[in-house]
Amino acid sequence: MSYAGTPHWNEPGRIEKRLQALDFFRKLWELPIEHICIENPKGCASPIIAKYSQIIQPYYFGEPFYKTTCLWLKNLPKLTYENKDTLFEKKSSVEPTLYYVNSGSRYTAKMKDVVYKGTSNSKKRALTFQGIANAMADKWTEYFIKKNN
């Protein structure tokens, strides 16, 4: 579903796989669950199933990488980040220095060694950066605590 696979979309069997993935995404999104977050790189789900709620980057949350990531949020607040220290908030973003590129031959050597050591290309593309996961846990834990008090 991500645009990373665009060069392969016309290969035999890929249309069926893409339609199956979109149907799976749709079924997840339509589940009768009050709170849902679906995280996926930019791709065809947004114009076809539902528009994403938010676009984020790993460097917003302390990781030095570019990797445009969409969030589809159902009854969850958007993630927040700070570009500079303020009176009340500490800066959460960092200067992006490494690029996440979907072609295996175009990853920087440093990125391969630091982030993806020993993983396959599909696992590289599926990685959720720790800073994003921490931001989700922090933001939504706070949200549910406030909601239930």
Side-chain angles (χ1 to χ4, degrees):
M1 290 187 330
S2 93
Y3 289 138
T6 303
H8 308 287
W9 278 10
N10 293 326
E11 292 176 7
R14 296 298 287 191
I15 293 172
E16 182 64 29
K17 287 181 180 182
R18 189 166 59 256
L19 291 173
Q20 288 171 353
L22 283 167
D23 190 48
F24 178 72
F25 184 102
R26 179 193 59 81
K27 287 176 182 175
L28 282 175
W29 188 243
E30 291 178 340
L31 284 171
I33 297 172
E34 186 177 358
H35 303 285
I36 295 176
C37 172
I38 301 175
E39 177 264 359
N40 204 55
K42 216 173 204 181
C44 59
S46 183
I48 294 174
I49 306 294
K51 183 167 174 38
Y52 53 80
S53 308
Q54 183 177 19
I55 291 181
I56 57 173
Q57 293 282 350
Y59 70 85
Y60 295 173
F61 306 101
E63 307 279 351
F65 303 105
Y66 286 97
K67 180 187 177 194
T68 303
T69 302
C70 298
L71 300 178
W72 286 261
L73 304 172
K74 187 186 285 186
N75 299 316
L76 289 170
K78 292 179 179 178
L79 300 181
T80 56
Y81 59 94
E82 294 296 327
N83 287 323
K84 59 184 178 179
D85 289 336
T86 67
L87 183 60
F88 302 104
E89 299 290 332
K90 186 174 184 328
K91 179 179 175 178
S92 64
S93 66
V94 297
E95 206 51 44
T97 57
L98 298 171
Y99 292 83
Y100 179 96
V101 181
N102 290 315
S103 169
S105 63
R106 293 171 56 192
Y107 291 102
T108 66
K110 184 175 182 185
M111 194 170 194
K112 282 183 183 176
D113 295 339
V114 174
V115 179
Y116 304 123
K117 193 172 187 174
T119 60
S120 71
N121 277 346
S122 62
K123 289 187 180 191
K124 292 173 193 176
R125 290 188 302 274
L127 179 70
T128 298
F129 287 89
Q130 189 63 50
I132 293 173
N134 291 346
M136 289 174 170
D138 292 345
K139 181 71 171 187
W140 298 333
T141 297
E142 178 184 319
Y143 168 75
F144 284 114
I145 288 171
K146 285 181 181 178
K147 182 181 174 185
N148 292 320
N149 283 332

